[in-house]
Amino acid sequence: MAKLNAAAWVRSYAALIDQRAAELTALDAAIGDADHGINMQRGLAAAVAALADAPGASATEVCKQTGMILVRTVGGASGPLYGTFFLRVADGLESGTDVTTFAKAFRAGLEAVMARGKAERGDKTMVDALAPAADCLDRQLAVGSGPATALEAAVAAAEAGRKATAPMQARKGRASYLGERSVGHIDPGAMSAMLLVRAARQALR
């Protein structure tokens, strides 16, 4: 049975953020503070470094540690939001790391982000990538799809959600101050959230 390797998830996410950091920063330059890529790089580098000090950590311990580090080291709203996500996922993985348990933990993480950021789908935030991924994952598992198929579909849903933020007018976060000028730009948070889902697919083995 496929199980989530939480340490591999964090490492894969850090690698994907490294690869797309310039793009994330460019997206944020259009509607934010132009620091999303740099901030996420810094936080995830710290999270990856901390993994070396806890080689036998459980999935719950890895996610909890990652969440606390992101809260401390990532600037702006992203640190508290991604930190909250990982901390809530950590609680959900206490009972296992199979794909069904992961899906429940992922949804709990999404709900925590929505509550903390007071954001909903359509607000042009990371929720617009995370929510479609969670919904897709649940649907795929409900019809008996295997873990790889379910995660691939979730990645595609997150990617579609990311793209769908372009025509939206931001209603939350720094971008909301721009009003109609926020239209026409991909949300950087939705981009980094899509990469989070892609990293999970890579880490589920």
Side-chain angles (χ1 to χ4, degrees), residues 87-192:
L87 289 169
R88 187 59 61 86
V89 168
D91 293 338
L93 295 179
E94 288 181 349
S95 59
T97 56
D98 60 277
V99 69
T100 301
T101 305
F102 171 72
K104 292 176 182 177
F106 187 92
R107 180 164 294 281
L110 163 65
E111 291 172 351
V113 166
M114 293 174 72
R116 178 147 196 172
K118 297 179 173 57
E120 300 177 354
R121 290 178 70 162
D123 284 343
K124 198 180 181 96
T125 71
M126 61 193 286
V127 170
D128 290 301
L130 292 179
D135 290 348
C136 183
L137 193 53
D138 288 344
R139 285 195 303 270
Q140 289 289 322
L141 294 176
V143 298
S145 297
T149 299
L151 263 295
E152 286 290 354
V155 170
E159 172 66 16
R162 177 194 74 86
K163 290 180 179 177
T165 63
M168 294 176 183
Q169 179 173 325
R171 296 197 294 250
K172 294 291 180 181
R174 179 99 178 167
S176 65
Y177 302 154
L178 298 177
E180 293 182 358
R181 287 181 294 157
S182 65
V183 174
H185 302 281
I186 295 286
D187 180 68
M191 174 72 174
S192 59

Side-chain angles (χ1 to χ4, degrees), residues 11 46-57 65 69:
R11 290 191 177 98
V48 168
L51 293 175
D53 297 327
Q65 174 177 266
I69 288 172

